[in-house]
Amino acid sequence: MRMKDKVALISGAAGGMGAATARLFAREGARAVVVADILDKEGAATVAEIEKAGGHASYIHLDVTDEAQWQAAVEKTVTSYGRLDVLVNNAGISGSAETDLYDTAAWDRLMGINATGVFLGMKYGIAAMKKSGGGSVINLSSISGIVGQGYLHVGYNASKGAVRLITKAGAAQHGRDGVRVNSVHPGLMPPMRTSGRTADPAMRAKTLKGVPMGRAGEVDEVAHAILFLASDDASYITGTELVVDGGWTAV
Ligand code: NAD
């Protein structure tokens, strides 16, 4: 029960890795998991599934680009459950749907959701954690925050690189507040809702050739990495980047 008594808020938790993490946190005894997303129906379904299995969860509408909504989501969590122990900044969009890899509107969208969305989460989440003596922030970057790819909008790499470094800045600034801040870097995973080229089976088969383990990852494999960083098992780990990519960036 590695999440026993902990209160967690997960952005983008209506599906994919966010929902897998919400389910795992609940199974690991979380006092409450707040599922936050812009997809209200899917988010409510994730909550219903968790509660049916005996866990504790609630849903909140949160567009991570909206500062007032972030403030309200963190306030609601603290009002409802007394504290915030774990924040997973998971919401994101893909850069692989863009054909013009220098499209300016796409740059703004990618940076707004993937980078500013994480910044705002840290701004309000860490302030709440400091009030109750500490906590753990896990930011979803990507291997695209470590190496470049020729087939993604440059804003995806830039936004995920920003997440990698605001994580380290957060770790440097809040270590003495008892707040740990780490990033997780998935590799080839099930396609995102917003994937374009990277969802194409031929493209995925080509990419797989560069993955030493010879297969794509599963959402639960990322959720377990997030769980480790969220839990007290990682009590002396902050500012690190945990790569979950089957060895892709090792070669
Ligand atoms: P997904 O598309 O299944 O889930 C992303 C979630 O974020 C969705 O539920 C979506 O509704 C939500 N979201 C999008 N915009 C939002 C906004 N403005 N406000 C709130 N929620 C919003 O994708 P996933 O594969 O589960 O990805 C989760 C995270 O992991 C993302 O940050 C992604 O960039 C990263 N990642 C994914 C992969 C991959 O191949 N799937 C690889 C590396 C990193």
Side-chain angles (χ1 to χ4, degrees):
M1 287 291 170
R2 282 174 290 172
M3 289 295 287
K4 191 170 180 305
D5 296 333
K6 291 193 195 293
V7 176
L9 170 61
I10 307 175
S11 72
M17 299 183 215
T21 304
R23 290 191 293 264
L24 182 60
F25 279 8
R27 286 202 302 278
E28 288 288 333
R31 192 161 131 235
V33 182
V34 179
V35 170
D37 210 297
I38 45 174
L39 299 175
D40 299 340
K41 207 168 119 223
E42 291 87 341
T46 303
V47 167
E49 191 188 341
I50 289 171
E51 296 208 311
K52 197 169 165 212
H56 305 291
S58 59
Y59 176 74
I60 191 159
H61 181 92
L62 168 65
D63 178 341
V64 294
T65 63
D66 186 321
E67 182 155 4
Q69 288 187 25
W70 258 120
Q71 189 171 11
V74 170
E75 266 172 27
K76 175 100 193 295
T77 303
V78 174
T79 308
S80 304
Y81 306 112
R83 53 192 292 129
L84 175 66
D85 300 296
V86 176
L87 170 65
V88 184
N89 281 309
N90 163 80
I93 55 169
S94 170
S96 78
E98 311 297 337
T99 43
D100 176 358
L101 304 189
Y102 279 85
D103 180 74
T104 307
W107 167 273
D108 289 343
R109 221 169 22 248
L110 284 158
M111 293 302 284
I113 296 173
N114 294 359
T116 308
V118 172
F119 160 75
L120 292 173
M122 285 173 61
K123 176 171 175 173
Y124 291 98
I126 291 174
M129 286 173 181
K130 281 167 71 174
K131 285 187 190 148
S132 53
S136 173
V137 178
I138 299 99
N139 294 329
L140 267 290
S141 177
S142 166
I143 59 137
S144 309
I146 300 174
V147 294
Q149 281 114 351
Y151 48 85
L152 294 175
H153 190 288
V154 294
Y156 191 74
N157 289 107
S159 63
K160 292 302 183 180
V163 170
R164 177 169 172 255
L165 262 298
I166 54 181
T167 298
K168 292 184 197 302
Q173 289 167 8
H174 299 290
R176 283 178 174 76
D177 300 321
V179 178
R180 297 183 294 103
V181 191
N182 293 290
S183 56
V184 170
H185 301 252
L188 184 68
M189 302 298 300
M192 298 174 72
R193 276 175 201 277
T194 44
S195 287
R197 262 189 95 199
T198 50
D200 173 49
M203 175 79 175
R204 290 179 69 80
K206 200 171 145 202
T207 307
L208 257 187
K209 290 191 184 136
V211 179
M213 287 185 72
R215 66 170 177 86
E218 293 169 12
V219 290
D220 282 336
E221 292 177 311
V222 176
H224 276 96
I226 296 170
L227 170 67
F228 168 65
L229 293 170
S231 77
D232 297 341
D233 290 347
S235 53
Y236 196 53
I237 299 178
T238 193
T240 199
E241 47 197 85
L242 184 44
V243 178
V244 186
D245 71 347
W248 194 1
T249 48
V251 292

